[in-house]
Amino acid sequence: MKTAIKIPGKVILAGEHAVVYGKEALSASIDRCVRVVVKPGRGRGYPEDKKGLIKKAIEIAGGDGAVGVEVESELPIGSGLGSSAAVSAATIKAVREYLGKPVEKDELFKLTMECEKIAHGNPSGIDPATVVYGGLIAFRKGQPLERLGISKPLNLLLVDSGRPEESTKEMVELVVNSQNKEMIINKIGKLVEKIKDKLVAGEPAGNLINENGLLLEQLGVVGKRAKKLSSELRGLGYAVKITGAGGVATGSGMMIVFGKDFAQAKKLLDNGKINYFETVIGKK
Ligand code: PMV
């Protein structure tokens, strides 16, 4: 007997890092998933368990060494698409179902949050909230999430600027001492309010999301490689923003790109052998 569970990844459209300081952020689940299979026997070599995330998730779900776990993921690891939250949530849900004690979303969110503390240190909760509840959400730390209905689904291009060397926890710590932190965080907070209004009204929000991207660069969470790529894409008329914690030493994780059509962007990315994929958010 085995149990299989799929949980989606996520993108943060606006407000990462500021959300750690109590501002609102906007995020959405995407059409790429993590699939966890639980069956009898010990799992061998989990793909993403350097931090002991899967072991912790099994424990939190009340499982033990008699539970075997296999993970398949369509999400790049550690690149801002919520892979750790999705793996934790899917493992907890699958183990609980396997043990005959299915878990509801509210409890799954709380348990996934426990697991996230390993990856994040001081997580706002936006990753577990987005992957557990799905859809497009407005999230503020410690408050009930708000589900947003948007009139038109949004097409995004997700571009890989390279896996960051730093963990989310390290990036959050880096921001603590960032110059002009308060001013930038406040500006991001105000932008998020405007972006939310635009999205709900079905109006284009690309320019504002691009501004959020530039503020993240000022905050010091975007590395040289991602900045160069962003400026090339902006030069072609696209709106660009990293999504997630970012990174400075090498890659900065995935970037979201908005535009009327992605033909020119794809040409540039293909020439530079840079990975990307398209996703749609806000689909009913
Ligand atoms: O783990 P990531 O890359 O999805 O980033 C999470 C968002 C942060 O605001 C940077 C951290 C948090 O806990 O909200």
Side-chain angles (χ1 to χ4, degrees):
M1 196 199 57
K2 64 178 187 179
T3 308
I5 294 292
K6 268 187 168 186
I7 294 275
K10 66 105 203 6
V11 284
I12 298 180
L13 290 175
E16 52 273 88
H17 286 293
V19 71
V20 175
Y21 297 86
K23 306 289 180 200
E24 195 164 62
L26 308 171
S27 61
S29 54
I30 58 172
D31 53 3
R32 291 205 162 199
C33 290
V34 158
R35 182 171 177 266
V36 166
V37 177
V38 171
K39 53 188 178 188
R42 202 173 274 277
R44 264 178 241 125
Y46 312 126
E48 137 136 32
D49 213 27
K50 276 197 212 121
K51 296 181 197 134
L53 212 59
I54 295 171
K55 198 163 163 266
K56 175 94 180 163
I58 296 172
E59 214 175 274
I60 285 177
D64 56 21
V67 169
V69 172
E70 280 169 19
V71 179
E72 285 165 23
S73 182
E74 298 169 339
L75 302 170
I77 293 170
S79 294
L81 294 190
S83 121
S84 67
V87 168
S88 307
T91 304
I92 294 168
K93 191 166 175 355
V95 171
R96 284 285 295 264
E97 271 193 38
Y98 177 80
L99 296 175
K101 297 178 201 157
V103 58
E104 292 302 324
K105 285 190 175 171
D106 290 350
E107 191 188 359
L108 182 60
F109 168 66
K110 284 192 197 120
L111 298 176
T112 307
M113 194 62 189
E114 286 303 304
C115 244
E116 277 288 279
K117 287 185 183 150
I118 303 180
H120 281 202
N122 175 27
S124 64
I126 189 164
D127 285 15
T130 318
V131 306
V132 168
Y133 295 100
L136 177 66
I137 66 168
F139 179 89
R140 201 186 285 268
K141 199 171 167 177
Q143 290 188 17
L145 61 85
E146 187 188 343
R147 287 181 173 281
L148 299 181
I150 52 173
S151 37
K152 269 192 269 162
L154 272 181
N155 287 325
L156 301 183
L157 190 66
L158 287 171
V159 175
D160 192 355
S161 79
R163 184 173 173 182
E165 251 171 53
E166 302 87 348
S167 64
T168 294
K169 187 166 183 268
E170 285 164 340
M171 291 311 293
V172 168
E173 278 159 12
L174 191 85
V175 171
V176 174
N177 299 313
S178 165
Q179 250 190 342
N180 301 325
K181 179 184 76 185
E182 252 166 68
M183 185 194 75
I184 298 171
I185 295 289
N186 285 333
K187 279 191 183 172
I188 294 178
K190 292 209 176 87
L191 259 180
V192 170
E193 287 171 27
K194 290 192 203 160
I195 294 169
K196 186 175 162 185
D197 290 345
K198 293 265 181 210
L199 287 177
V200 173
E203 290 168 16
N207 286 345
L208 295 172
I209 291 175
N210 188 62
E211 271 183 53
N212 189 167
L214 290 166
L215 286 168
L216 287 168
E217 292 183 16
Q218 280 180 36
L219 193 61
V221 296
V222 186
K224 271 196 203 138
R225 195 196 290 174
K227 276 190 201 161
K228 182 169 175 279
L229 193 52
S230 303
S231 107
E232 285 168 2
L233 287 162
R234 285 178 185 134
L236 294 173
Y238 293 100
V240 186
K241 181 188 135 306
I242 60 149
T243 184
V248 283
T250 53
S252 307
M254 299 302 283
M255 308 195 307
I256 51 179
V257 175
F258 286 88
K260 284 205 183 76
D261 84 80
F262 297 124
Q264 275 188 296
K266 286 180 180 172
K267 210 162 138 194
L268 176 94
L269 298 167
D270 286 338
N271 281 339
K273 297 196 166 48
I274 293 160
N275 291 329
Y276 59 85
F277 64 91
E278 276 184 71
T279 190
V280 183
I281 57 169
K283 245 198 313 205
K284 296 263 155 60

